[in-house]
């Protein structure tokens, strides 16, 4: 990835080339990739800068527009990396601009370093929709309720839970049944490739084990969870328990 040659001063050491290696968060399943000076990355991506100057260097620093400075290390006479190999990883968390401060062995710095941009893409939570039942439903104490759930995420859905509780226990901890569980990790894929469509999840909920009495009302919804732990919730439905003869 080439920035080009700068010549703010014939005596200064200017940036000749730079590459930015990006490693997405582990939970994404995305493979590492290289970016140009306009960086587009998911929040939490690890960034490693490598570059070369036009003259031998004494030091190199990565400067961020929030006033942070990340020390670089020289890996050759005119080559550098940032952050240093023994430093904490540089994780991209916010959008902004950056530049590189290079000082050559004569102590002359590049005062007009070109700026690059960092654009952080947030990982949005998943969405979940309870398609069936589409509305409140009358049920019998030993009946079976067919559920049909659609969910989607910009990466992948890790799990879907059925969440329910009697209406007269509002405020208490609801019960949960996992009706879909994805693999431990999403399959590897290129960064920012379209997420594969997830087919609807169907589940037959047997009410017999709940011991519901006639007249009881059960409130339920479904929750989809992604691999980062973010949760999306559907609208609620109500089950009204009636006698078998009703």
């Amino acid at each position: 990835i080439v920035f080009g040659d700068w010549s703010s001063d014939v005596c200064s050491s200017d940036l000749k080339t730079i590459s930015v290696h990006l490693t997405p968060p582990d939970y994404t399943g995305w493979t590492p990739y290289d970016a140009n000076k306009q960086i587009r990355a998911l929040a939490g991506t690890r960034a490693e800068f490598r570059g070369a100057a036009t003259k031998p260097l004494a030091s190199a620093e990565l400067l961020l527009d929030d006033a942070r400075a990340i020390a670089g290390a020289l890996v050759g006479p005119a080559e550098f990396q940032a952050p240093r190999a023994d430093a904490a990883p540089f994780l991209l968390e916010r959008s902004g601009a950056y530049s590189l401060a290079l000082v050559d062995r004569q102590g002359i710095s590049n005062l007009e370093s070109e700026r690059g941009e960092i654009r952080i893409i947030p990982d949005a939570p998943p969405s979940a929709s309870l398609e069936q039942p589409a509305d409140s439903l009358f049920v019998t104490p030993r009946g079976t309720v067919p559920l049909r759930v659609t969910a989607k995420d910009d990466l992948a859905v890790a799990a879907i839970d059925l969440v329910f509780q009697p209406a007269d226990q509002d405020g208490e901890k609801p019960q949960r049944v996992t009706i879909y569980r994805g693999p431990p990790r999403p399959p590897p894929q290129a960064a920012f490739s379209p997420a594969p469509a997830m087919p609807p999840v169907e589940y037959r909920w047997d009410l017999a084990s709940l011991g519901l009495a006639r007249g009881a009302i059960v409130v339920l919804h479904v929750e989809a969870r992604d691999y980062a732990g973010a949760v999306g919730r559907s609208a609620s439905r109500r089950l009204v328990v009636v006698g078998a003869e009703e």
Side-chain angles (χ1 to χ4, degrees):
I1 300 150
V2 179
F3 270 40
D5 295 334
W6 289 290
S7 54
S8 59
D9 188 309
V10 293
C11 297
S12 68
S13 180
D14 294 325
L15 190 61
K16 184 179 180 182
T17 63
I18 186 170
S19 64
V20 187
H21 187 65
L22 301 170
T23 304
D26 288 342
Y27 74 84
T28 63
W30 286 358
T31 53
Y33 63 103
D34 293 322
N36 58 23
K37 64 180 180 179
Q38 307 301 330
I39 298 171
R40 180 173 179 250
L42 200 67
T45 295
R46 185 171 76 247
E48 301 169 87
F49 293 73
R50 283 183 172 268
T54 56
K55 297 172 67 177
L57 293 173
S59 67
E61 273 190 319
L62 175 66
L63 305 179
L64 304 175
D65 63 357
D66 60 4
R68 284 185 295 161
I70 297 176
L74 301 182
V75 294
E79 293 79 39
F80 64 90
Q81 69 178 43
R84 303 170 60 94
D86 59 355
F90 174 37
L91 300 181
L92 303 176
E93 300 290 356
R94 59 182 295 273
S95 298
Y98 69 89
S99 60
L100 288 152
L102 307 178
V103 179
D104 67 20
R105 293 180 181 176
Q106 285 72 48
I108 301 173
S109 62
N110 60 331
L111 300 179
E112 300 293 336
S113 175
E114 184 172 331
R115 291 162 65 86
E117 296 293 330
I118 300 171
R119 181 187 173 200
I120 295 302
I121 308 300
D123 182 5
S127 63
S129 176
L130 191 52
E131 294 188 350
Q132 187 179 358
D135 206 340
S136 296
L137 192 66
F138 291 101
V139 297
T140 59
R142 303 184 64 82
T144 299
V145 179
L147 303 177
R148 181 181 173 89
V149 178
T150 56
K152 60 181 179 180
D153 185 67
D154 47 9
L155 298 177
V157 174
I160 300 174
D161 288 350
L162 167 64
V163 184
F164 61 95
Q165 67 182 149
D168 60 2
Q169 295 180 11
D170 188 28
E172 297 185 16
K173 186 175 181 179
Q175 299 182 61
R176 290 177 174 270
V177 176
T178 299
I179 62 174
Y180 167 81
R181 190 178 300 279
R185 291 171 56 89
Q189 58 181 332
F192 297 107
S193 58
M198 181 178 177
V201 173
E202 297 188 351
Y203 179 79
R204 295 186 64 81
W205 185 22
D206 186 358
L207 303 180
S209 63
L210 301 182
L212 298 172
R214 180 177 176 180
I217 298 175
V218 177
V219 181
L220 68 125
H221 66 272
V222 292
E223 293 180 359
R225 185 171 65 255
D226 67 15
Y227 284 88
V231 174
R233 170 178 168 160
S234 75
S236 296
R237 305 283 188 264
R238 295 165 72 89
L239 304 182
V240 181
V241 182
V242 298
E245 68 282 0
E246 298 179 70

